[in-house]
Each structure stands twice: as structure tokens, then as C-alpha cells.
Amino acid sequence: MTTKSTKLPGLGKQYDITTRTGRHISVVAHQDGRRFLGFYQQDDPDACQATVQLDKEEAASLAEILAPGESPRLGTCEMEIDLVTVRIPLSGQSPYSGEPLGATQARTRTGASIVAVLRRTGAVPSPGPDFRLEAGDTLVAVGTREGVDELTRIIAGT
């Protein structure tokens, strides 16, 4: 792993990290505490794929999570809830193939939430009720074990 830092006069400092697997990640640390994370393509270390802006508080929380050692002291409350995340394939035989997501009534019927839909073309986070499902989609659902099991049966049409 290599790390390089570059002063950015009047702005702050840029830190470039190349991981052992060859991934290039950049952090621009502004003097006012804001941070920008940059993620670069592996085959072209100069082509930025995405950036994420973090304010001072968000940057501190992320740093605490990433730091090795004790569990982070997050500014949120922790609850012991038995939730699971599952991926549910949507086949062409599903009664919901070609239908809007709202037609599943997933949350009402099972208590489980469909939080994303994975397609060959990419992920669709937080799809709305009008989002049209297609055969080959994979639904990402969160809920209790019982809820996601029931949702799996509903999506399969069994």
C-alpha cells in the first residue's frame, strides 16, 4: 500500500492511497473540516468513478468506524433487532414480473421492505412504488427472518 499527500494551498491537503490490490482512493481534507472521498477506476487511476462529500461530523464518524481497535462510539443508539437482509430473484414466472413494485404490497403484507433492486444495468436504491419490476431483477429486502421468507414466497408466487 502506498500513501501520498499533496498540499493544496488555501484549501487543505489531498491524500492519495493505492491499496495492495491496486485501487486508488483519494481524500481531500479541507481546512474547514469537510472531506471529499474519491474512488478511481482500477484500470485508469486518473479516472474518478465517484466522489462523496462529508461534513466535519460525518468525516469524524467514518474515521472512527474505519479505525482498527475497539468498536466505534457512534452518535446513534444501538438496538438489538433481529433483522436480516436477503436477495430475492424475480423470475419470469413471478406474478410481479412486469408489475410496479407497489403491487407487491411487501411492507403491508410481510413487514419486510424492498430497499433496492439489482439489474444487469446496475442497482436501483430505494425504488418507489411505481418502479416496474422485470424478470431477472434481484430484490434486496430487509426485515425479520419470517417477513423476508414470506416475501420470498410472495415474489415467487408460491
Side-chain angles (χ1 to χ4, degrees):
M1 181 180 89
T2 59
T3 303
K4 177 179 88 170
S5 66
T6 306
K7 288 184 182 178
L8 303 173
L11 187 66
K13 206 169 204 180
Q14 179 172 333
Y15 300 90
D16 292 291
I17 300 164
T18 303
T19 67
R20 287 181 182 87
T21 62
R23 290 301 306 240
H24 175 194
I25 302 168
S26 177
V27 178
V28 176
H30 290 255
Q31 292 170 340
D32 64 2
R34 290 177 302 135
R35 302 291 189 262
F36 285 83
L37 301 176
F39 302 92
Y40 294 82
Q41 293 180 7
Q42 195 159 357
D43 59 343
D44 184 357
D46 294 323
C48 189
Q49 288 179 301
T51 60
V52 177
Q53 180 180 349
L54 303 171
D55 65 24
K56 190 174 184 177
E57 185 178 310
E58 293 165 334
S61 291
L62 180 60
E64 192 172 332
I65 291 168
L66 292 174
E70 300 270 335
S71 294
R73 298 176 319 274
L74 301 175
T76 60
C77 65
E78 291 187 27
M79 297 171 36
E80 291 294 325
I81 300 177
D82 205 10
L83 292 179
V84 295
T85 303
V86 298
R87 293 179 179 210
I88 304 170
L90 189 112
S91 73
Q93 286 73 41
S94 170
Y96 300 101
S97 180
E99 295 294 320
L101 179 63
T104 66
Q105 296 183 338
R107 198 169 330 160
T108 302
R109 294 168 73 184
T110 68
S113 296
I114 298 171
V115 297
V117 176
L118 307 178
R119 279 208 173 130
R120 286 189 313 264
T121 57
V124 179
S126 303
D130 295 334
F131 180 83
R132 200 150 294 275
L133 300 172
E134 297 178 3
D137 285 349
T138 299
L139 311 180
V140 179
V142 175
T144 63
R145 169 55 55 199
E146 297 79 17
V148 296
D149 286 349
E150 179 63 18
L151 181 56
T152 301
R153 286 189 287 282
I154 289 170
I155 296 300
T158 58

